[in-house]
């Protein structure tokens, strides 16, 4: 079975500072990995995904993530935080074929951006 | 193009009642998944449908059921509601049956059981 651990339920940064949200995964087979963002009273929006092509993945809103197999990590970064980035972020893992249509989500990290 | 539409947005029900939630996926998306989101348990997978067939089911009691219609619209039903069923229910659609596409989520249905 696959699992995801997001380190830090709350992260606070100043506007313009680097954003780093941590995600570690566990999977018995090469996984697909995703980052989603959720704003209050809304559903989740896909930020980016890793599907075994390039290990550095660029997403929307200036976010990117790097897949590191040796560290079983898929951390999300953004060079300069903006007030509009304040939201909850979820890392998710899917396993090819056998669990098609099912993703396992982390517990989420709430990002606060201070002016 | 239109996103994933969930109706209703908010619902208040009494313990013991049943409820039906609806989800219309993005046009052309044939896979529909349902998740329950609560502060304590996070996002929990309920089930997934593809071409009217349930392909995957999470660890929820039989009171939770779903179906998908030929136009890919999906419904989920919860019978004999319990207080613990209060949650945000999210529907997500995907273009294909593969696990690498990622989801497009609806805004959810907020169910409160009193």
């Amino acid at each position: 079975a696959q699992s995801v651990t997001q380190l830090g339920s709350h992260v606070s940064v100043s506007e313009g500072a680097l954003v780093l949200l941590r995600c570690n995964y566990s999977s018995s087979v090469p996984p697909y990995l995703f980052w989603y963002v959720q704003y209050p009273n809304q559903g989740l929006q896909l930020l980016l995904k890793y599907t075994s092509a390039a290990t550095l993945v660029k997403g929307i809103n200036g976010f990117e993530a790097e897949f590191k197999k040796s560290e079983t990590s898929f951390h999300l970064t953004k060079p300069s935080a903006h007030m509009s980035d304040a939201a909850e972020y979820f890392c998710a893992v899917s396993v090819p074929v056998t669990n098609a249509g099912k993703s396992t989500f982390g517990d989420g990290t709430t990002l606060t951006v201070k002016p | 193009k239109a996103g994933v539409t969930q109706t209703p947005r908010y619902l208040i029900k009494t313990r013991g009642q049943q409820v039906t939630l609806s989800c219309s996926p993005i046009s052309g998306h044939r896979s529909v998944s349902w998740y329950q989101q609560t502060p304590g348990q996070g996002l929990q997978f309920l089930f997934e449908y593809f071409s009217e067939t349930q392909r995957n089911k999470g660890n929820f009691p039989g009171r939770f059921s779903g179906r998908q219609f030929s136009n890919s619209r999906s419904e989920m039903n919860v019978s004999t509601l319990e207080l613990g069923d209060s949650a945000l229910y999210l529907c997500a659609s995907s273009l294909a049956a593969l696990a690498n596409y990622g989801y497009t989520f609806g805004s959810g249905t907020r169910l409160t059981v009193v």
Side-chain angles (χ1 to χ4, degrees):
Chain A
Q2 66 272 22
S3 66
V4 165
T5 302
Q6 291 185 240
L7 302 173
S9 58
H10 290 86
V11 170
S12 180
V13 301
S14 297
E15 191 174 18
L18 171 71
V19 175
L20 172 60
L21 304 182
R22 300 177 187 272
C23 172
N24 288 90
Y25 69 91
S26 173
S27 175
S28 57
V29 299
Y32 300 133
L33 295 160
F34 309 85
W35 276 100
Y36 292 86
V37 60
Q38 185 178 32
Y39 298 99
N41 298 314
Q42 294 187 26
L44 283 70
Q45 180 183 10
L46 180 64
L47 278 176
L48 49 79
K49 62 181 180 181
Y50 166 76
T51 58
S52 76
T55 56
L56 182 62
V57 181
K58 294 187 184 298
I60 62 172
N61 302 338
F63 285 94
E64 63 182 36
E66 186 171 10
F67 173 73
K68 292 187 177 180
K69 183 178 179 180
S70 60
E71 299 177 9
T72 61
S73 69
F74 190 58
H75 302 331
L76 182 71
T77 60
K78 182 175 181 177
S80 176
H82 191 272
M83 296 297 291
S84 61
D85 295 327
E88 189 162 19
Y89 292 80
F90 293 90
C91 182
V93 61
S94 291
V95 175
V97 183
T98 56
N99 282 296
K102 173 184 178 180
S103 287
T104 300
F105 286 82
D107 291 335
T109 298
T110 299
L111 175 66
T112 301
V113 182
K114 299 174 292 185
Chain B
K1 61 181 177 182
V4 177
T5 303
Q6 290 188 248
T7 56
R9 283 297 308 275
Y10 301 92
L11 207 49
I12 300 175
K13 289 288 188 179
T14 305
R15 272 182 303 174
Q17 287 186 314
Q18 76 165 14
V19 66
T20 299
L21 312 182
S22 179
C23 172
S24 294
I26 288 177
S27 177
H29 284 198
R30 295 167 63 190
S31 171
V32 174
S33 299
W34 289 88
Y35 286 82
Q36 180 196 65
Q37 186 177 27
T38 61
Q41 298 297 317
L43 281 149
Q44 300 289 314
F45 174 76
L46 281 157
F47 27 66
E48 186 260 353
Y49 289 88
F50 182 81
S51 293
E52 302 179 65
T53 299
Q54 185 183 89
R55 296 192 305 166
N56 229 321
K57 189 177 192 309
N59 296 322
F60 279 82
R63 300 185 296 107
F64 291 81
S65 63
R67 58 179 175 169
Q68 186 181 34
F69 302 95
S70 58
N71 62 357
S72 293
R73 190 177 71 85
S74 177
E75 290 181 346
M76 66 163 283
N77 183 277
V78 188
S79 62
T80 318
L81 284 165
E82 300 177 359
L83 294 179
D85 297 333
S86 295
L88 179 66
Y89 289 88
L90 292 165
C91 168
S93 75
S94 186
L95 178 61
L98 302 176
N100 62 341
Y101 269 83
Y103 294 126
T104 301
F105 280 85
S107 296
T109 293
R110 174 78 60 185
L111 172 64
T112 302
V113 182
V114 297

